[in-house]
Amino acid sequence: MYSDHITFSSVTRWLKIKHLVLVNSLAKTRNMHTTAQHMNVTQPAISKLLRDLEELLGFALFERQTRNLVLTELGVFVARYARVTLEDTESFVDQVNKLRKGGHGHLKIGTIFAATSVVLPEAIACIKRKRPLLAIEVIEQTSNQLLEMLEQKKLDLIIARFTHDDCQSFEFVPLGPEPFCLVANQAHPLCQLDEVPCEALSEWPWVMYPFNTPIRRRMERAFRLFDIASPTNTVETISMQTFLQLLQSGPMLAMLPESMVQSHVQSGQLRVLRTPFSVESQDYGVITRKDEQVSEPTQSFIDTLLGFASQRRAASGDA
């Protein structure tokens, strides 16, 4: 018989890590036998553990079907909690082991490419001078993927564009604007024009970010705003190296953040096209989980980032 409700005190008395491992494994495998092998127990023991957990919670976590298990609506919520808690526990164990070995913490940073070419390197160099034993891991991805990883506690902070309309889960502190420019290689026929008309842009092949990225969504809005057709001859990628290789290989166009192409324009690899067509700039900044105390090394790194961003704005203003 399932109970009507549970309480925090009751959950803290009986909920164990093995319950979370069970739910997480079953949610992934949908199979009792595979989970039993993973947890190194018998299948009847798995069945009993799941049955006991469901009775204690007061509701079913899985629907038993012929070949597999399917999460119920409440089961999806519990499975997410189990996954996040286990990831947090794994991070805790890793941090404790490093501290016991004399380490000084670990910082996992997610970043978009624009940040790696501007504020991130100097901030890392600065904090490493102060904390040489702080282990820093940098993961480069698109903003929406980084937000997902941050929510899952796979990252301590991210430097990205804020893309969610619902910002209840995150804190965002801007570092600066990210203007865009239209580029091609030096041999592109459009480079011979004093000004490239908007209607000519859709006639050429483009290298573009995928549809689910913030830059691409802004580009599609710009195409509609300037009343030009969205390009159909496209290659989609998030890799800067691929962008550069494709732009150099033929008469292709790309709309990219200025910070990403500045050095390539200066070296002559790329040319910025003069055109009325433009994409609205967007702030990128530091994003953390809301209502969660960040670690001391994380806060120190955030302060360093904000300090360098402030210096850049001041220098730009003086110029």
Side-chain angles (χ1 to χ4, degrees):
M1 178 73 66
Y2 289 154
S3 61
D4 292 335
H5 68 279
I6 59 175
T7 65
F8 175 77
S9 59
S10 67
V11 169
T12 56
R13 283 197 301 270
W14 54 256
L15 186 63
K16 298 179 174 61
I17 291 292
K18 66 180 179 181
H19 290 128
L20 303 182
V21 174
L22 169 73
V23 174
N24 187 55
S25 180
L26 285 175
K28 289 179 179 179
T29 66
R30 310 295 173 92
N31 185 277
M32 290 275 195
H33 178 69
T34 305
T35 293
Q37 289 181 321
H38 171 69
M39 296 183 66
N40 197 28
V41 296
T42 65
Q43 188 167 329
I46 290 293
S47 299
K48 183 179 184 306
L49 189 62
L50 177 60
R51 186 169 57 253
D52 291 345
L53 178 59
E54 290 179 324
E55 288 179 358
L56 289 165
L57 287 172
F59 52 82
L61 296 173
F62 297 89
E63 293 179 6
R64 279 69 166 173
Q65 298 188 351
T66 305
R67 294 183 178 274
N68 59 11
L69 301 173
V70 177
L71 283 163
T72 64
E73 184 176 354
L74 284 172
V76 171
F77 177 78
V78 175
R80 180 184 178 280
Y81 168 76
R83 172 177 53 77
V84 171
T85 304
L86 290 173
E87 288 170 351
D88 204 24
T89 303
E90 185 178 12
S91 176
F92 164 75
V93 172
D94 182 56
Q95 292 278 10
V96 168
N97 284 329
K98 286 184 177 179
L99 291 171
R100 289 179 62 187
K101 294 176 182 177
H104 284 66
H106 186 268
L107 190 58
K108 288 187 176 182
I109 304 166
T111 180
I112 56 174
F113 186 87
T116 65
S117 63
V118 183
V119 297
L120 188 61
E122 55 191 8
I124 289 178
C126 178
I127 201 167
K128 288 294 284 183
R129 287 193 294 269
K130 300 175 183 176
R131 301 165 178 262
L133 295 182
L134 175 65
I136 298 177
E137 180 179 354
V138 179
I139 297 172
E140 188 178 306
Q141 262 298 352
T142 58
S143 293
N144 54 314
Q145 289 172 316
L146 291 174
L147 283 168
E148 184 177 338
M149 294 174 71
L150 180 66
E151 184 180 25
Q152 295 171 0
K153 297 190 175 183
K154 294 180 179 179
L155 298 169
D156 297 306
L157 77 154
I158 64 175
I159 307 167
R161 307 170 194 94
F162 197 73
T163 59
H164 282 193
D165 293 330
D166 181 4
C167 59
Q168 294 181 357
S169 301
F170 305 102
E171 296 280 2
F172 176 75
V173 181
L175 291 172
E178 186 182 42
F180 299 92
C181 60
L182 183 64
V183 293
N185 70 47
Q186 293 276 16
H188 198 293
L190 293 182
C191 290
Q192 309 305 315
L193 302 179
D194 292 333
E195 182 174 283
V196 179
C198 294
E199 57 270 18
L201 298 178
S202 58
E203 300 173 3
W204 297 91
W206 281 69
V207 194
M208 306 179 79
Y209 280 85
F211 267 106
N212 64 340
T213 56
I215 291 181
R216 181 62 178 273
R217 288 195 289 269
R218 284 177 173 263
M219 288 188 63
E220 294 300 329
R221 287 199 295 269
F223 287 132
R224 292 192 296 270
L225 178 65
F226 284 87
D227 196 27
I228 58 177
S230 181
T232 56
N233 184 356
T234 63
V235 177
E236 296 184 358
T237 182
I238 64 169
S239 166
M240 183 58 180
Q241 183 177 4
T242 303
F243 267 106
L244 292 173
Q245 289 174 340
L246 290 172
L247 286 169
Q248 291 297 325
S249 68
M252 304 191 79
L253 303 175
M255 180 68 73
L256 293 169
E258 289 180 2
S259 59
M260 295 173 64
V261 299
Q262 183 178 15
S263 62
H264 305 287
V265 171
Q266 291 173 346
S267 67
Q269 289 179 285
L270 299 176
R271 174 85 64 86
V272 176
L273 300 179
R274 291 184 292 275
T275 176
F277 180 74
S278 62
V279 174
E280 180 187 359
S281 64
Q282 180 180 10
D283 279 350
Y284 67 95
V286 179
I287 305 176
T288 54
R289 292 180 290 274
K290 185 172 284 189
D291 300 326
E292 180 175 312
Q293 184 70 37
V294 300
S295 67
E296 195 277 330
T298 301
Q299 187 59 57
S300 178
F301 187 74
I302 292 173
D303 293 340
T304 302
L305 281 170
L306 295 176
F308 277 116
S310 178
Q311 291 175 18
R312 283 181 170 273
R313 288 194 298 270
S316 177
D318 293 340

